[in-house]
Amino acid sequence: MTHVPAGAAVPDAAGAGDRTVIGANLSLPLFRALSGVLAGHPYLKVVVDRAENTWHLLDTRVHPFHVDYIATRVLGMTLDELDAELDAFNASVYMDPERRFLLGVVSLHSEEETDGSERPFLVLETTEADTMPGPLLEEFYHYVRGRVDGRLPLLLKPANHGQEHELAAIGEARVPRVLSHELFGNRTRTCLNPGETEGRLRYFRTTAEYESAAGELGWSDIVAMPRLPDDVPRTAGFINTVPTTPLSHTNVLAAGWGIPNAIVRDLDAVVRQDGLDGAWVRYRVREDAVTLERLPHAPALERPAWHQQRIRIETPLLEEAPILELHRLRCADRDSYGTKAANLGELHHVLDSRTADLTAFYARPRPPRPDLLGHLAARLGEPGASPRQLRAAAAERVARTVRAPRGVALPFRLHHLFLTSSPALQQGIGKLKMALELEALDVIDPLSLHLQHLTCSTPMPEEVVRAITASVAALTADGRRLVVRSSSNAEDLPGFSAAGIYDSVTTVHGTDQLMDAVRQVWASLLSPRSVRLRHQVGIPLDDTYMGVIVQEYVPAGLGGVLVTCDPTRPEDFRNVYLNCTPGSPEQVVDGTVLPQQYLYNTVEGGGRTVDIGSSGADLPAATRASLAELAFAGRLLQSHFSEDDPDGALDIEWLMTAEGAFHLVQVRPYAR
């Protein structure tokens, strides 16, 4: 490429106006002329050419990718040539310690001064996969600092945990810095689940306000409140006005229902300014922007597709199915024990046999790459390994990283025996079926509540008590604590995740408490909310049964949820999103605690902190490194549990013991 004098523009290949500049100092007017906008902040891509001792300020509209620009405009390659060696080229610019080019982004931010004025400042960062060591980070920072308007503060934001570690040896006086959660932790608007809808905004400032109006909410409403409750009905959209996580139950529901959801901290001011409460609005949620636009009048809305949606469930097998230890179940047993129990049994099989192929996700074509097997080999420390060797190494890595819970699964048959043993339950269920058929909305909830109470108070048949007692004898020894979870045939289904609508009981001691907990889990199948949600998607009451998982309680110092995708960027095939908090995973999904949040790249490697949550501090580096191994194991398990579609994400609940061992307590498809 012919060198262009400082300040001159570079014409693009098509002859259109490319305002890319080489060698010029960066002022705010020039920054604004070349920049794009991401997450509400103007940003500019920069390339430092160490060999030429100059830098390139890219016109964002013309050059969306650093590597494309370097290859075609600096090195004279064609795009086909770049695609043919893309991974090697990426390694040369993002990972080679002797690299010629330093790639980054400069973004413009502002902070409020004590007098209320806004003070602008710039932030420099690399891409997330960049392994730039400390000396290069310092060189990059000072190169840019020397060419940026000196009146503008410039901070370096480490792009991953590796860069944070490298910068720890460099004083902040030499390289001023800001961490991601410090920069974005107080973001006014945050995407939780992308989407767009039109509807009537219903803004509730307190839980009491919501509860008084919940019964009148309809499918065309957009529900806004500080933090949505788990029993929120299916509506057109959700808005939270205080921070929550994309892995909360309400956002898992939003993802499964395909409705937009976001955090909008300034909603109160927007509602007051524009008179939006009760108004019809267009609500757009994207990764880089969340907007509410008042509509001039009520739109002509059609009933949403889910009103006609019909979820198909397999006929439950109610014949003789014994209570089994979890390790004896396989995926095919879901029709007798439920998907949740069957998946835990399958997990035992994967870990014990080490014969499952856990490489399918990486073997899939990722154009222009034929596959990601080279990256998998690097993650496994097996460069040049054959496909067979990679399969063996992947199975070994997962078995070394995670454990499956010890416990037993109660089949649907026991629930069926219990229901048929009580004429009162049979009569009540008959009345509820009739009310559902007649759409008698005023009696459905009272009938459901009556049936729940009846389920919890009806004695179990003696044969059911004997079977359960015998099967859990080893688990209840020495007064050990148990956890009792649902495993219905009406959850973890395509298009119907049922996240959070059935009960778990996490503090169970002894046989009497166990029987009460089993009845409570069975009763949750008849809660008003679960009955209504299933009826909306056409799941017949007659075909719905509850299996139960009885697990040994495992004390945990850390617990959480991971999903093998980035919930806000479904097209991203690299990252696994992980949330955690001290103690059990329930605090993550019920939204009572804002968890620590991380993204781990399972292709090139590395991770970064998204939010430090309510704890106010990040986890130690060694713990974050262990979580990276857990995220990688989750990605490998995805290949097996999503075998029909290797890109089908998993939702995994996990615990980390004081000794650092990971126990997976739930593996299910992630609805998105």
Side-chain angles (χ1 to χ4, degrees), residues 54-132:
T54 191
W55 71 335
H56 303 241
L57 310 177
L58 308 190
D59 185 342
T60 305
R61 282 152 291 204
V62 180
H63 302 292
F65 302 107
H66 289 91
V67 291
D68 288 5
Y69 175 82
I70 294 171
T72 61
R73 308 306 296 277
V74 180
L75 301 179
M77 299 170 63
T78 67
L79 285 176
D80 286 342
E81 289 171 335
L82 173 62
D83 287 349
E85 51 180 286
L86 183 60
D87 287 330
F89 190 90
N90 281 341
S92 74
V93 295
Y94 293 127
M95 300 172 189
D96 186 349
E98 303 299 324
R99 66 191 76 174
R100 172 180 170 181
F101 302 103
L102 306 179
L103 284 59
V105 170
V106 178
S107 54
L108 180 63
H109 302 259
S110 64
E111 61 182 358
E112 186 174 344
E113 299 279 34
T114 54
D115 63 1
S117 62
E118 293 288 324
R119 182 177 73 104
F121 65 96
L122 297 174
V123 172
L124 172 67
E125 63 181 303
T126 70
T127 63
E128 294 173 16
D130 200 308
T131 60
M132 205 178 284

Side-chain angles (χ1 to χ4, degrees), residues 41 53 90 107 124 127 152 160 175 181 201 250 294 326 383 414 469 501 516 541 558:
H41 298 282
N53 191 30
N90 281 341
S107 54
L124 172 67
T127 63
L152 289 170
N160 50 53
V175 180
H181 63 82
L201 183 65
T250 52
R294 182 169 184 147
L326 288 174
L414 295 188
T469 303
I501 72 170
D516 289 342
L541 190 61
L558 199 66

